[in-house]
Amino acid sequence: MLPEHSDLSSPVFLPVTDETCANLLQAGGAKALESLTDPELAAVLVIQNLVQTKEQDLGAVAAEKILAKLLAWAVDTRQSTNASLLSEAQRLFDPRKLYFGLKVLNPLNLRFLLVEEISARDYLLPDGQWDFEYKVRRHRSHDPFSQPIVTPRYRERWLSPAQDKLVRTFRANLDEDLHVQGYAGIGKSHLLVALLEHLRPEKTLLLARTPAKLEVLRQRMVGPSEKRAGKTFLTFAQSLMLGRRPQAEGGRIPTRQALAQELNIFGFRHYDGPATLELCLKAIERYCRFRDHTFSAKHLPHFNQPLSSVDAQVLLEYSSRVWGYLELNPAWGSQTGFEALLMIKRACIAGCVVPARYTHVLIDESQDIPGSLLQIIERGRQVLITLGDEYQQASGVPVKRHREVRQSDISYSVRSGRNVERLVNPLIARHSQKGKIPFEGASDADVVIKEYPEGFVPSGGCVVLTASPWDSMIWAIHLHDSNCKFRFPDKRTQDELKHFMATAIELFKPDFYRSEFSENGVHPYFSDLPDWQAVCDANQFDESFLRVKAKLENGFMIADLTRLNRMIDNAGNGCLLMLAEEAGGMEFDKVLLTPGLLTNEKFKDAYAFDQRICAVYIAISRARLKLYVPYDVVEWVEYHEYQQFRDTAGH
């Protein structure tokens, strides 16, 4: 039986290196042909031939057949005539054809070999001809999933050596809490399903933060009932609270402005009622993330001008009113943007525990766990198994487990190759707080990394990962102006950006738009920024903001925003636009890092740079096939290593 990861359409590896081809493209590169072996010469001719091959004949299989014919001809002519593959290569060599042939290698499932592999010549039969079995042997020798196990459910699973070691340890210690710290692409979801195979389904609670992440796990399961297993954080909390207290009668959900009026939230400092309500919601969200039972001043948001004791008391009073309303009217929680956190906190305060019928709780992407959920779980006696990646938590305070836990570290990524490893390890080394175990990319993974020029427009299906809402806004404008359709991960994200852009335009021209677009209130991002000058002051070092500001000064208005929204095509194959920090736990074929993400502006302090390191790490490690970067990431890290922070005192 083959491993479930076996790819019967594995790529054909041409016996030539990327460096050799690059040298041939240099001025006078044809001279380098003289130093190449017959297999290398044949590979060069195959690559050249790709640009003139009929579309129906394109592909790795056809290319391999041509390679084999050229080598067979070389063997035959070597003994019968003075002709050689070198003379043919010199006669047919065309740098232009080679250049364009190299552009289509990856889509055609053709790859290069490493220098040491070319020297070993394992791809040749004893008589010097091409060995068609070589790609199978190479795939098996490089397949990280080399360890077969038979689970208690009599299913065969294939694991990497590191995964196999961990599963065997787990199997021998089923009553011990476990945490697996693993970098992006180590196969955490695959590993989690293998762990599940050793537990009784009816006694195991599987949790994931979002429906999308839960679905990723379900797709790896086998039986029909297993494919329905698991709960999201929200549905789990709802099940705990079911029947605990009466639900408010349904009806029209009030707007933010109406709710502020109903709760007598008149304003605070220079904020009006709806803006003050947003500040209250920020405070409540912070409260929901932590284990704290009591709501206090430590949960209030950060202000550029510190709060006086009177200001703090006023805001705490308003926030308490909002919390009380949410307790009595849980339906309004869907308007907050953190409904799951609210429900979890309610369950935590109510003293809920994991039902006794469960013996084990498993959570993927454990960096997403709020402290209040961990508190609920740790009240019970269930074994807790978590899998996560600390570098995929860009902001916030890591949640610490109170119980003793066995930790295992896995650093070998089966998704990312050595080229991604070269980019990731400098990021890990530069972070001021997190672990320093080196990231190791698979030798056979081959994410292609391309530097793109200014004004570049990615092809459809590419995922554009941004640094901030300003960055998302400028890229939405750029894609629109380039007639490139785009989309968002979900409707909530789409509506959030629309709201953000409308508020930015409103603040830029308050006389034109404030009254017209007041129904939704101010976007939460601007809750501490009462006017355009305050926005400018707060974002003066943000390159993306400065680009947006220039667009607004050139006349970008609500009408332009309406036209931009028409380019959104959630049903099509447009570019996917999302914040890098929101992409954790996902993977995509093609990923683009924006210049805003790799900014050359000085960071405020070490904490801000640590956040950006994590965001860049998340973005880099999402790509399966191709990664677009504005410039070399290693150089970006080195540049900032010698930059002074704007605020040397820290955050």
Side-chain angles (χ1 to χ4, degrees):
M1 182 177 177
L2 290 172
E4 63 263 38
H5 289 271
S6 286
D7 183 5
L8 299 179
S9 62
S10 53
V12 169
F13 285 84
L14 301 175
V16 68
T17 66
D18 189 12
E19 292 78 12
T20 296
C21 292
N23 290 336
L24 291 171
L25 294 176
Q26 302 298 317
K31 188 71 176 173
L33 291 170
E34 298 175 5
S35 63
L36 302 185
T37 63
D38 280 354
E40 290 173 297
L41 293 168
V44 171
L45 290 174
V46 166
I47 296 170
Q48 284 191 183
N49 186 64
L50 295 175
V51 297
Q52 58 193 40
T53 305
K54 295 179 180 178
E55 187 173 347
Q56 63 267 27
D57 296 329
L58 284 173
V61 174
E64 187 177 25
K65 289 179 179 177
I66 296 171
L67 179 71
K69 287 181 180 178
L70 287 170
L71 287 174
W73 179 85
V75 171
D76 292 341
T77 55
R78 194 180 302 140
Q79 302 173 2
S80 58
T81 69
N82 291 327
S84 68
L85 198 54
L86 174 60
S87 61
E88 284 300 293
Q90 289 172 326
R91 182 177 68 84
L92 297 172
F93 181 68
D94 187 333
R96 190 171 179 275
K97 289 182 179 179
L98 178 62
Y99 174 82
F100 286 106
L102 292 170
K103 294 287 187 182
V104 298
L105 281 186
N106 267 295
L108 296 180
N109 218 15
L110 293 167
R111 305 289 188 270
F112 295 114
L113 288 177
L114 302 174
V115 173
E116 55 268 27
E117 294 175 313
I118 291 173
S119 301
R121 298 172 72 85
D122 291 339
Y123 43 81
L124 297 179
L125 297 170
D127 62 357
Q129 300 202 52
W130 182 254
D131 185 357
F132 283 94
E133 295 297 316
Y134 174 70
K135 80 170 182 178
V136 178
R137 291 199 308 274
R138 190 187 185 282
H139 176 73
R140 287 176 176 171
S141 65
H142 287 76
D143 188 356
F145 299 99
S146 57
Q147 306 298 314
I149 65 166
V150 177
T151 72
R153 300 185 201 177
Y154 302 101
R155 293 170 184 162
E156 189 173 37
R157 294 276 181 187
W158 290 78
L159 307 172
S160 71
Q163 292 174 339
D164 179 65
K165 181 181 178 181
L166 189 146
V167 169
R168 293 179 187 278
T169 302
F170 171 74
R171 190 162 54 190
N173 303 275
L174 290 176
D175 59 346
E176 286 190 11
D177 282 11
L178 173 67
H179 174 64
V180 180
Q181 161 58 31
Y183 290 127
I186 67 151
K188 287 191 289 290
S189 299
H190 175 67
L191 175 59
L192 187 142
V193 173
L195 295 176
L196 278 168
E197 291 275 343
H198 293 79
L199 302 172
R200 294 175 63 180
E202 71 277 9
K203 290 184 173 294
T204 304
L205 174 63
L206 175 65
L207 296 176
R209 184 170 65 91
T210 64
K213 292 187 177 183
L214 182 60
E215 185 57 31
V216 169
L217 297 174
R218 287 173 170 174
Q219 288 174 358
R220 296 181 178 273
M221 298 181 186
V222 179
S225 61
E226 294 174 38
K227 287 185 176 294
R228 297 190 298 271
K231 299 176 184 286
T232 64
F233 290 177
L234 176 60
T235 56
F236 172 62
Q238 287 172 332
S239 69
L240 294 178
M241 293 298 293
L242 192 63
R244 281 185 170 261
R245 57 182 68 183
Q247 300 291 305
E249 294 293 326
R252 187 173 181 272
I253 295 177
T255 65
R256 278 164 158 74
Q257 185 169 356
L259 182 58
Q261 291 175 348
E262 181 179 339
L263 298 178
N264 294 320
I265 298 175
F266 301 113
F268 166 80
R269 284 186 171 179
H270 49 257
Y271 307 102
D272 60 12
T276 304
L277 175 64
E278 293 296 344
L279 294 175
C280 296
L281 291 173
K282 281 187 177 182
I284 291 171
E285 182 177 7
R286 283 174 56 85
Y287 169 60
C288 290
R289 290 188 180 277
F290 296 110
R291 295 172 178 262
D292 307 315
H293 187 81
T294 306
F295 188 70
S296 68
K298 79 178 208 180
H299 302 111
L300 298 178
H302 170 77
F303 291 87
N304 293 323
Q305 295 182 345
L307 295 175
S308 68
S309 59
V310 174
D311 285 340
Q313 286 301 316
V314 169
L315 196 53
L316 279 171
E317 169 59 26
Y318 283 155
S319 299
S320 297
R321 294 179 192 177
V322 177
W323 175 259
Y325 178 86
L326 291 170
E327 281 274 83
L328 296 173
N329 300 272
W332 207 89
S334 62
Q335 306 300 303
T336 63
F338 52 93
E339 185 180 12
L341 280 174
L342 273 171
M343 189 61 68
I344 292 167
K345 192 65 178 181
R346 288 179 61 207
C348 183
I349 293 173
C352 294
V353 298
V354 177
R357 65 178 181 274
Y358 295 116
T359 60
H360 290 74
V361 180
L362 278 77
I363 306 179
D364 194 16
E365 306 295 346
S366 62
Q367 66 276 359
D368 297 336
I369 305 175
S372 48
L373 176 58
L374 196 58
Q375 195 171 11
I376 293 172
I377 296 170
E378 289 182 337
R379 286 173 182 159
R381 306 189 63 176
Q382 290 82 8
V383 175
L384 176 58
I385 301 154
T386 55
L387 294 86
D389 179 1
E390 62 177 338
Y391 277 89
Q392 291 190 52
Q393 184 182 35
S395 57
V397 180
V399 178
K400 301 293 185 183
R401 292 175 55 173
H402 283 185
R403 299 193 308 222
E404 186 175 343
V405 56
R406 178 193 297 271
Q407 178 162 327
S408 294
D409 297 279
I410 301 180
S411 58
Y412 184 85
S413 174
V414 298
R415 181 172 70 219
S416 302
R418 299 292 169 77
N419 47 0
V420 174
E421 174 188 311
R422 184 185 74 85
L423 305 184
V424 167
N425 277 325
L427 295 169
I428 292 172
R430 189 67 177 81
H431 198 286
S432 66
Q433 301 290 328
K434 300 185 187 292
K436 301 301 176 191
I437 296 174
F439 176 95
E440 184 182 358
S443 60
D444 206 34
D446 53 359
V447 177
V448 177
I449 300 173
K450 297 283 188 183
E451 293 186 18
Y452 62 87
E454 186 176 355
F456 175 74
V457 181
S459 59
C462 187
V463 180
V464 178
L465 297 179
T466 65
S468 68
W470 296 114
D471 200 18
S472 296
M473 183 174 178
I474 199 64
W475 269 84
I477 294 172
H478 172 58
L479 294 172
H480 168 269
D481 293 348
S482 304
N483 201 32
C484 177
K485 291 188 178 295
F486 59 93
R487 55 195 176 91
F488 299 91
D490 49 51
K491 189 174 185 304
R492 182 190 67 81
T493 307
Q494 178 178 319
D495 292 342
E496 277 285 306
L497 187 60
K498 286 181 180 178
H499 190 191
F500 176 90
M501 291 191 289
T503 302
I505 297 171
E506 172 193 336
L507 289 172
F508 180 72
K509 288 201 170 185
D511 296 339
F512 284 21
Y513 297 116
R514 181 171 293 279
S515 60
E516 186 178 350
F517 289 89
S518 60
E519 184 178 351
N520 293 326
V522 175
H523 187 277
Y525 177 91
F526 302 94
S527 59
D528 192 27
L529 304 168
D531 53 41
W532 186 248
Q533 187 56 55
V535 174
C536 292
D537 293 343
N539 295 279
Q540 59 182 305
F541 301 104
D542 188 325
E543 294 170 321
S544 299
F545 165 74
L546 296 176
R547 292 178 65 191
V548 170
K549 181 171 177 280
K551 289 284 185 182
L552 295 174
E553 290 171 345
N554 287 332
F556 189 87
M557 300 186 295
I558 292 294
D560 299 291
L561 180 58
T562 303
R563 284 190 288 271
L564 183 148
N565 290 334
R566 295 189 187 122
M567 291 297 292
I568 298 174
D569 182 19
N570 287 318
N573 194 37
C575 290
L576 182 63
L577 192 61
M578 65 187 303
L579 292 171
E581 290 189 18
E582 296 293 323
M586 304 178 183
E587 59 179 34
F588 312 99
D589 285 345
K590 296 182 291 184
V591 172
L592 181 144
L593 277 64
T594 65
L597 190 61
L598 293 173
T599 180
N600 287 321
E601 286 288 340
K602 291 181 179 180
F603 286 91
K604 179 180 183 294
D605 50 34
Y607 178 71
F609 188 44
D610 281 346
Q611 282 187 292
R612 184 57 56 87
I613 284 175
C614 289
V616 172
Y617 165 87
I618 294 170
I620 287 173
S621 57
R622 300 307 96 198
R624 282 191 293 251
L625 300 177
K626 190 170 288 187
L627 180 67
Y628 295 100
V629 294
Y631 29 75
D632 188 77
V633 176
V634 177
E635 293 179 1
W636 177 79
V637 174
E638 291 173 348
Y639 171 78
H640 281 289
E641 191 168 359
Y642 299 101
Q643 285 281 81
Q644 296 294 317
F645 299 121
R646 300 198 311 271
D647 182 358
T648 56
H651 183 72

